[in-house]
Amino acid sequence: DAGITQSPRHKVTETGTPVTLRCHQTENHRYMYWYRQDPGHGLRLIHYSYGVKDTDKGEVSDGYSVSRSKTEDFLLTLESATSSQTSVYFCAIGPTTNEKLFFGSGTQLSVL
Amino acid sequence: QKEVEQDPGPLSVPEGAIVSLNCTYSNSAFQYFMWYRQYSRKGPELLMYTYSSGNKEDGRFTAQVDKSSKYISLFIRDSQPSDSATYLCAMSEGTGGFKTIFGAGTRLFVKA
């Protein structure tokens, strides 16, 4: 998967607990993205980063925060998980501002 | 109304058939059109990437864009069981990957 590692691959947590998902890349790409994928909705952008410490909101950012302290790592945090955040989360990277995205294998998150 | 509409299927065809997958869109500013293939429990992988209108061919795959009708298609010739996957269309105005809009995906089953 284009040098992208997501961890954990599966996570079950309880409502109200904090959760952090990690994306690690070995491609040295500038742009990194977090998406969620839900049936009937396709992929929706949560947050993205265009450099170390440079991040911005996507379409469905409420309830999520991100951090990027190194080029290779992009963290997604759910401060207080809710059942509506049960989803499959994908990290993606891109070399430039063009539209070619390379995805990780995903994290299946279940919030009970 | 969603910006990008895609029939979720499932679409089931016999091996060797020609498959046609389609998306419609409403934003006339879209210039970049992509098709991603996603196997079960995997991340999407970029399959085809086209700019503006016209056709692009890559092996058994042909991507077609009709901007006047706001309609894009992916054709798969001589379909194989290994083509069984979910196919996601995606499009962008060309302002960067963070503006890419995805369709919900069409599930394809190719029967041996």
Side-chain angles (χ1 to χ4, degrees):
Chain A
D1 288 324
I4 309 170
T5 303
Q6 289 187 234
S7 58
R9 288 298 311 276
H10 300 89
K11 174 81 175 177
V12 180
T13 191
E14 294 183 347
T15 300
T17 59
V19 177
T20 295
L21 309 182
R22 180 177 182 246
C23 179
H24 178 77
Q25 62 146 328
T26 57
E27 306 295 324
N28 201 36
H29 285 340
R30 178 181 177 187
Y31 295 87
M32 299 185 75
Y33 310 82
W34 277 108
Y35 286 88
R36 60 178 290 172
Q37 187 174 38
D38 305 288
H41 288 279
L43 287 158
R44 291 181 291 173
L45 184 64
I46 305 170
H47 281 280
Y48 65 95
S49 169
Y50 45 96
V52 174
K53 292 187 169 51
D54 292 324
T55 64
D56 207 345
K57 296 178 180 180
E59 178 188 356
V60 290
S61 59
D62 287 348
Y64 302 94
S65 62
V66 290
S67 66
R68 191 170 178 197
S69 59
K70 297 186 290 185
T71 298
E72 57 266 35
D73 291 324
F74 193 31
L75 303 180
L76 176 71
T77 297
L78 291 66
E79 301 290 347
S80 178
T82 67
S83 58
S84 64
Q85 294 176 312
T86 292
S87 186
V88 181
Y89 291 86
F90 287 101
C91 174
I93 63 175
T96 68
T97 54
N98 71 29
E99 285 62 33
K100 294 182 182 179
L101 300 174
F102 302 94
F103 287 84
S105 296
T107 295
Q108 173 70 62
L109 176 66
S110 298
V111 183
L112 306 178
Chain B
Q1 185 188 3
K2 294 180 181 177
E3 269 191 290
V4 177
E5 298 278 0
Q6 185 175 11
D7 187 334
L11 179 62
S12 183
V13 301
E15 182 176 358
I18 296 175
V19 176
S20 173
L21 303 168
N22 312 294
C23 287
T24 59
Y25 62 94
S26 57
N27 185 351
S28 58
F30 286 146
Q31 297 188 79
Y32 294 85
F33 303 91
M34 287 72 68
W35 286 95
Y36 287 83
R37 178 175 62 195
Q38 184 176 21
Y39 291 113
S40 181
R41 290 183 292 280
K42 294 285 191 180
E45 57 177 327
L46 183 63
L47 194 59
M48 299 289 282
Y49 176 84
T50 56
Y51 171 72
S52 194
S53 283
N55 292 359
K56 183 174 183 179
E57 188 173 321
D58 184 0
R60 296 185 295 111
F61 299 90
T62 299
Q64 201 169 73
V65 175
D66 182 350
K67 291 186 71 177
S68 62
S69 301
K70 297 190 181 69
Y71 188 87
I72 70 170
S73 300
L74 176 70
F75 298 97
I76 307 174
R77 291 182 299 281
D78 187 25
S79 56
Q80 302 296 309
S82 59
D83 294 327
S84 298
T86 297
Y87 290 81
L88 304 159
C89 64
M91 44 200 82
S92 169
E93 295 180 25
T95 51
F98 40 85
K99 295 293 187 182
T100 300
I101 306 298
F102 286 84
T106 299
R107 291 195 71 186
L108 172 67
F109 295 96
V110 181
K111 300 172 293 184

